[in-house]
Amino acid sequence: MMRKFFGTDGIRGQANKFPMTAEMALKVGMAAGLVFKNGGHRHRVVIGKDTRLSGYMLETALVAGFTSVGMDVFLLGPMPTPAVAMLTRSLRTDLGVMISASHNPYQDNGIKFFGPDGFKLSDEIEKTIEGLVESDVSARLAGTRDLGRAKRIDGAQQRYIEFAKRTLPREMSLEGLRVVIDCANGAAYKVAPEALWELGADVITMGVTPDGFNINQDCGSTSTGALSRKVHEVRADIGIALDGDADRVIIVDENGAVIDGDQLMAVVAQSWQAHDRLSAPGIVATVMSNLGLERYLQDLGLGLARTKVGDRYVVEHMRANGYNVGGEQSGHIVLSDFATTGDGLIAALQVLACVKDQDKPVSEVCRRFEPVPQILKNVRYKGGAPLEQDLVKSAIEDGEARLGSSGRLVIRASGTEPLIRVMAEGDDADLVKQVVNDIAGVVASSAA
């Protein structure tokens, strides 16, 4: 089902340019409010945001939209995406909204929704919202006496901190661990360090001075160089890098080496299997996860179910098939025993629990398999559909034939940026590199 405004993770774009304008946010608020108004009770929506300057503009416009259709609004301020999902359920609201462009630079922003159950919306509901955005809904606006109210919620951050802490056993303490936490100057800049400190860790912070412009700038899960250096400098046991809205996490071990989401899923899967906590004999990941993860799980007697890219699709497969561990190589780790979406802090706490339980260095605990050589290239395009070009299709077919059964090829359009992502992996590193370069070159020529 094609959607006009929604991508793989809500609506996203450059702030103050269509579709990320105040006018669009107003219409989206009206439309989503109308979709989720059911029954005669006072309807409520909770809104969180990250630290981008444009968050003020979009938040205000969304409030106007929701209140105009008679929904009351609870404003959380800067808050991680998974905290918004949790509070949507905890506060018994009809809808949750997060204003964020996740790992993108400050110039971008986005709007993503959670239903009353805390899960992201289906494609069908997003399509319905789009239809109302493009319709005249003036006849469905609330009467003068029925307009919604808006207020700030006190104590929301502490609610989430306590929720995160309770995902560990009551007797678990992080005492004795020196942890560097990089919050990407984003939504978790207050809650993540506080949670770690309250659990007993010796906490060194980075990326906790947001100014509206520095979110994800040379920091966070997409830029771990500074974190690696800091771990070395302070002789920390572990580095934790969140992204701008804290729904993903990347770990740095005591040597400064980066540990991605595939390795973290392997850590949790093995630990939960050993403690009889897996609800299904395997985990869920996307087509981008490394073949090495699949082989590692096979050796444990576990399966790997793959979905298309987007943690929303991982969650949908988990819910439909009874899995409680899933995620993405990029660091979205979904642990459905605790959360309805990727939660960087909770995933990090589970890894820290494994480190404490095994009493070994992070480099030993978190390096579970040797990744198969994998190369990803992004090719930017201005318009059109490069993947529909005959030359591109032919190049892809040729690449698949060259890799054969010893590798995989994944070509897809990004759901959040005008990029074609070309990924290949296989046991022959030189062949993988050659295949990616050849296909990327043809895509670049067709997209010019």
Side-chain angles (χ1 to χ4, degrees), residues 293-311:
L293 171 62
E294 191 169 340
R295 292 171 177 173
Y296 172 79
L297 293 172
Q298 285 174 351
D299 291 340
L300 295 176
L302 299 174
L304 177 65
R306 293 185 184 269
T307 73
K308 60 183 177 180
V309 173
D311 67 314

Side-chain angles (χ1 to χ4, degrees), residues 394-416:
S394 177
I396 292 172
E397 290 175 4
D398 179 62
E400 289 173 337
R402 291 160 68 188
L403 288 172
S405 60
S406 65
R408 291 192 315 124
L409 183 62
V410 179
I411 317 291
R412 68 181 187 89
S414 168
T416 58

Side-chain angles (χ1 to χ4, degrees), residues 304-349:
L304 177 65
R306 293 185 184 269
T307 73
K308 60 183 177 180
V309 173
D311 67 314
R312 183 159 59 103
Y313 303 112
V314 170
V315 172
E316 285 177 1
H317 193 88
M318 291 172 66
R319 294 179 73 188
N321 297 279
Y323 292 88
N324 62 346
V325 177
E328 295 188 282
Q329 187 184 66
S330 59
H332 284 118
I333 310 296
V334 184
L335 306 174
S336 61
D337 286 0
F338 310 124
T340 56
T341 188
D343 191 316
L345 176 59
I346 287 177
L349 292 180

Side-chain angles (χ1 to χ4, degrees), residues 375-430:
I375 294 178
L376 170 66
K377 269 197 171 184
N378 294 322
V379 182
R380 189 166 291 275
Y381 66 97
K382 294 182 179 179
L387 296 183
E388 298 301 316
Q389 301 290 328
D390 289 339
L391 282 176
V392 173
K393 290 180 178 179
S394 177
I396 292 172
E397 290 175 4
D398 179 62
E400 289 173 337
R402 291 160 68 188
L403 288 172
S405 60
S406 65
R408 291 192 315 124
L409 183 62
V410 179
I411 317 291
R412 68 181 187 89
S414 168
T416 58
E417 299 175 86
L419 298 173
I420 300 297
R421 304 194 191 278
V422 181
M423 188 278 278
E425 63 180 357
D427 296 315
D428 186 337
D430 290 335

Side-chain angles (χ1 to χ4, degrees), residues 252-284:
V252 168
D253 69 21
E254 75 279 4
N255 301 312
V258 174
I259 299 164
D260 68 12
D262 283 348
Q263 296 283 357
L264 300 183
M265 284 188 283
V267 171
V268 174
Q270 190 278 329
S271 173
W272 285 24
Q273 181 190 41
H275 291 89
D276 198 28
R277 292 175 61 187
L278 284 180
S279 59
I283 69 172
V284 182

